Amino acid sequence: MSPVSTPSKISIQNPILMVELGNQRKNNLDSKTLKKSPKHSRRFLMGYFDGLTNASFKSDADGNTIFFPYGVFGKGRLIGDADRADQLKKFIVRFYMVSLGMSLVMGATVGYIWTIFAFPFAMLWYFQGIKKFLKDAPFSDAKLSSRESMQNVASGMNKSLIWFFLLTSLFFVAASVFLVIETGDLFLGLGGVFFAVCGFVFVFMLRSKKR
């Protein structure tokens, strides 16, 4: 047996072949990365809407799904059928996606003030959409607290997404403080207060993810 290994022979006898093999491996790795990237981005984005949707749902002691159409401000409705509950959640996700997309488009084209006029139409679509799912759905005595709602939001989001929102909130807090110092306009500090509150919420969500 030759003391020189096969890869060494190839590298000595045909260095061009070794370069071609290296480029082929690199291209294969790049193609795999490109295939995974859209899926990862989609999961990252859908985690946001799934978290918002989870804020309106909880399970009772028997494992039944309870839907709170008005969040923490109203009574829940018992959704006994699992398939119906899944379809309801898909509608809520779709509602959030369309509403957010519509708000961004309207804000970029005609101004965000017009979203106020579009809000009643969006809510009309929401109530009409959930109406068929709540037919014959009994009211539940269970309550949804703000703490439970935030925990449910956190359960639908991954940590990377929550960290992103937290860091973004801290950035806007710092930007607001900078503007107040530079301009002396305390009104600009209201934005910083808002994002500071958001930051505390995201910290709570991260802590709930660790439990």
Side-chain angles (χ1 to χ4, degrees):
M1 180 180 294
S2 174
V4 181
S5 62
T6 302
S8 300
K9 288 182 179 179
I10 295 176
S11 61
I12 295 173
Q13 297 174 2
N14 198 342
I16 297 177
L17 178 60
M18 289 296 296
V19 173
E20 291 179 350
L21 290 174
N23 291 336
Q24 184 177 0
R25 290 175 182 174
K26 182 178 182 298
N27 292 334
N28 291 337
L29 290 174
D30 291 341
S31 62
K32 291 180 180 179
T33 303
L34 290 173
K35 289 179 181 178
K36 291 181 180 179
S37 180
K39 293 182 179 179
H40 179 74
S41 300
R42 184 175 181 276
R43 288 196 301 267
F44 188 83
L45 181 62
M46 289 303 297
Y48 171 71
F49 294 107
D50 289 338
L52 292 179
T53 301
N54 288 347
S56 300
F57 291 86
K58 69 178 293 184
S59 299
D60 60 11
D62 298 324
N64 298 314
T65 301
I66 304 175
F67 171 59
F68 295 83
Y70 306 99
V72 298
F73 299 105
K75 291 185 177 181
R77 305 290 292 272
L78 185 63
I79 311 297
D81 184 66
D83 292 335
R84 177 178 289 189
D86 290 338
Q87 291 299 318
L88 175 57
K89 289 181 179 180
K90 289 180 181 178
F91 168 76
I92 302 297
V93 169
R94 187 164 60 251
F95 167 77
Y96 282 130
M97 292 179 67
V98 173
S99 298
L100 178 60
M102 180 183 66
S103 299
L104 294 176
V105 171
M106 292 184 67
T109 55
V110 297
Y112 285 102
I113 188 65
W114 289 97
T115 58
I116 298 176
F117 300 100
F119 180 76
F121 296 98
M123 295 309 299
L124 178 63
W125 175 40
Y126 171 77
F127 288 118
Q128 287 296 321
I130 66 175
K131 188 177 181 180
K132 62 179 180 180
F133 296 104
L134 301 183
K135 185 179 180 181
D136 301 327
F139 285 94
S140 173
D141 294 330
K143 302 293 184 181
L144 180 67
S145 65
S146 299
R147 185 184 184 89
E148 286 178 320
S149 180
M150 287 190 292
Q151 288 176 338
N152 292 340
V153 173
S155 67
M157 297 184 185
N158 56 54
K159 285 187 178 180
S160 299
L161 184 59
I162 301 176
W163 270 109
F164 171 77
F165 286 138
L166 175 59
L167 295 177
T168 302
S169 298
L170 294 178
F171 170 80
F172 281 110
V173 169
S176 298
V177 172
F178 174 79
L179 290 174
V180 170
I181 295 174
E182 288 293 316
T183 64
D185 188 356
L186 295 178
F187 182 77
L188 296 175
L190 294 178
V193 174
F194 170 77
F195 285 106
V197 174
C198 292
F200 281 114
V201 171
F202 295 133
V203 169
F204 172 81
M205 292 169 61
L206 283 173
R207 292 186 54 158
S208 68
K209 294 283 285 186
K210 294 179 179 179
R211 296 173 183 174

